[in-house]
Amino acid sequence: MSRTTTIGIIAVALASAGVVAFAANSMENDAASLATAKISLSQAIASAEQHTGGKAARAEFEHTRAGWAYDVEVVNGTKVVDVRVDSTTGTVISAVDDKMDRDDEHDEH
């Protein structure tokens, strides 16, 4: 194996290790933040469903500019609403009609 190939392989391995370490650290921070949330994911989903009158299809805990919040995607008939719920109080911060689901860009339209 040439020296250039060996250096390239080592560089890729080091870069991959850095990405894995960053992802693990990020997940630890998310887990620690979730542990300090005053309301549960179930409570956030219930709040979003009550606010929109629909059923939750997806929910996640994410960091926003304002801090940690739950992002709940709720379906009501043919309408999809992205609902953001405060992780401390359980109140709905925002509810916006979802024009296009960015998570499913690869799906057929």
Side-chain angles (χ1 to χ4, degrees), residues 5-21:
T5 303
T6 304
I7 291 172
I9 291 171
I10 291 171
V12 168
L14 289 173
S16 298
V19 168
V20 170

Side-chain angles (χ1 to χ4, degrees), residues 41 44-45 56-61 70-73:
L41 179 62
I45 290 171
R58 180 190 56 79
E60 61 187 1
F61 187 64
Y70 293 99
D71 181 31
V72 184
E73 187 174 85

Side-chain angles (χ1 to χ4, degrees), residues 68-91:
W68 288 95
Y70 293 99
D71 181 31
V72 184
E73 187 174 85
V74 182
V75 178
N76 189 356
T78 59
K79 185 176 174 181
V80 178
V81 181
D82 287 324
V83 182
R84 184 159 289 157
V85 179
D86 186 285
S87 66
T88 304
T89 63
T91 59

Side-chain angles (χ1 to χ4, degrees), residues 87-103:
S87 66
T88 304
T89 63
T91 59
V92 172
I93 299 168
S94 65
V96 179
D97 288 350
D98 187 4
K99 301 292 185 217
M100 182 180 118
D101 189 353
R102 292 177 303 276
D103 291 339

Side-chain angles (χ1 to χ4, degrees), residues 3-71:
R3 181 178 173 150
T4 305
T5 303
T6 304
I7 291 172
I9 291 171
I10 291 171
V12 168
L14 289 173
S16 298
V19 168
V20 170
F22 175 78
N25 187 37
S26 178
M27 286 192 305
E28 287 175 13
N29 290 339
D30 290 354
S33 298
L34 183 58
T36 63
K38 301 217 187 239
I39 68 161
S40 69
L41 179 62
S42 299
Q43 290 168 311
I45 290 171
S47 181
E49 287 178 340
Q50 182 179 4
H51 183 80
T52 61
K55 291 289 182 187
R58 180 190 56 79
E60 61 187 1
F61 187 64
E62 64 184 18
H63 191 266
T64 67
R65 284 184 236 146
W68 288 95
Y70 293 99
D71 181 31

